[in-house]
Amino acid sequence: MSVIRADRPTRRGTEIASKVAVNGVLGLMTLYTLIPLWWLFVSATKGSGYFYTGTPLWFSHFDLVANVRNVFSFEGGVFSTWLANSALYSLVGATVSTLLSAMAGYALSKFSFRGREGVFNVILASVLIPAPMFALPLFLLMAKLDITNSYWSVLLPSCVSPFGVYLCRIFATASVPDELLEAARLDGAGEQRTFFGIALPLMAPALVTVFLFQFVGIWNNYLLPSLMLNTPSRLPVTVGLVQWRSEFANGVPPLLPITGAFLSLIPLLVAFISLQRFWRKGLTAGAVK
């Protein structure tokens, strides 16, 4: 008994030390993530001519309203067009991609056909391939179709999400009972009605997660639209801000791309905050099974 009692303080001390170490690592990761965002916000509030003066991580000569006004009025308000283009690419691409991923994941989970596992393995392998590897083949394909420098050249590749198919298959297996589908078919429901009326609502948390990931990925995508587009009125905000950044010597103030980058984060923050309770459920899909 004395040996057991002597071990308890040691174990308790070890647990406390491990918790402190884990919390310390998490705290450092949080700072690593938040400090660039804080710098971006502070820099966007500085007055014209004071960007390179004062403390980088604290406010001085607060003039956020004027900076925002300058961003939306510069070059005839092209920043508004870039935001609208990013919203178009992200919303349409994420919506279509989510629907296609749900259909593919449901089919791979609930239908038995020859080559099903092979198809799924190919989709799963494509998740491991870096996105830049697809850039040149996609450009050559779009050039062959003669749709480069058009909205379609960005929208069509954005409608495919291998990770979305993978997640939807896992969630369909875990949350859509086969007995429920059989009961619907016995009642006379067709496959289309069974999918849209029964399976799709049960897969809602996974669909929100796929939509959110695809929305963020398309919104932040730079390589694909920079290759496909060369007309300023069709550019997304990511490519437009980089062009502003490269034109400092041509009269573009340094605060414009910084303030624009801060404003471009707001839609992403709103999407995460409004959908967080759904995508958290989607991330844990299939964790028990």
Side-chain angles (χ1 to χ4, degrees):
M1 293 296 294
S2 60
V3 175
I4 297 176
R5 289 177 181 176
D7 289 343
R8 286 180 181 175
T10 304
R11 293 179 180 176
R12 190 173 303 170
T14 303
E15 292 176 358
I16 294 175
S18 62
K19 289 181 180 179
V20 170
V22 171
N23 290 334
V25 173
L26 292 177
L28 291 176
M29 294 176 64
T30 303
L31 289 176
Y32 179 80
T33 304
L34 294 180
I35 286 178
L37 298 177
W38 177 252
W39 175 87
L40 183 64
F41 173 63
V42 170
S43 299
T45 63
K46 292 188 175 183
S48 179
Y50 297 96
F51 176 65
Y52 298 104
T53 62
T55 306
L57 295 178
W58 198 247
F59 303 97
S60 62
H61 304 87
F62 193 92
D63 204 5
L64 179 61
V65 177
N67 292 337
V68 172
R69 189 184 303 115
N70 292 335
V71 168
F72 282 100
S73 62
F74 191 74
E75 293 184 347
V78 69
F79 183 77
S80 301
T81 303
W82 293 343
L83 282 179
N85 291 337
S86 291
L88 173 66
Y89 297 140
S90 300
L91 288 173
V92 175
T95 301
V96 176
S97 173
T98 301
L99 181 59
L100 293 178
S101 298
M103 291 179 175
Y106 173 79
L108 290 171
S109 173
K110 299 302 178 182
F111 294 103
S112 297
F113 53 90
R114 180 177 296 179
R116 182 180 69 171
E117 295 303 320
V119 171
F120 180 70
N121 290 333
V122 171
I123 294 174
L124 190 60
S126 64
V127 177
L128 306 177
I129 301 176
M133 296 289 292
F134 295 104
L136 182 59
L138 284 174
F139 176 79
L140 296 176
L141 177 61
M142 297 302 165
K144 189 70 175 180
L145 296 175
D146 197 23
I147 57 174
T148 55
N149 196 31
S150 67
Y151 291 107
W152 291 110
S153 61
V154 179
L155 284 174
L156 289 179
S158 302
C159 292
V160 179
S161 174
F163 174 75
V165 176
Y166 166 74
L167 184 61
C168 286
R169 184 191 182 184
I170 292 177
F171 203 88
T173 303
S175 63
V176 182
D178 294 334
E179 296 80 6
L180 187 61
L181 300 179
E182 291 298 330
R185 291 165 183 155
L186 289 176
D187 289 340
E191 293 298 336
Q192 181 177 351
R193 184 177 178 183
T194 301
F195 173 73
F196 286 100
I198 297 176
L200 209 59
L202 294 174
M203 296 170 61
L207 301 184
V208 173
T209 304
V210 173
F211 176 86
L212 188 58
F213 280 9
Q214 191 71 357
F215 181 89
V216 174
I218 299 172
W219 186 279
N220 292 330
N221 193 4
Y222 170 79
L223 181 59
L224 179 65
S226 66
L227 286 176
M228 298 293 182
L229 307 173
N230 54 37
T231 301
S233 61
R234 297 191 180 99
L235 297 179
V237 68
T238 50
V239 181
L241 289 176
V242 172
Q243 286 192 358
W244 274 358
R245 175 64 179 84
S246 63
E247 294 176 0
F248 281 172
N250 297 330
V252 178
L255 279 174
L256 281 183
I258 292 176
T259 307
F262 169 71
L263 294 174
S264 68
L265 289 177
I266 296 178
L268 301 182
L269 294 176
V270 172
F272 265 102
I273 293 173
S274 59
L275 300 176
Q276 62 176 340
R277 67 188 184 95
F278 295 102
W279 67 266
R280 283 179 180 177
K281 294 180 181 178
L283 286 176
T284 58
V288 176
K289 290 192 176 183

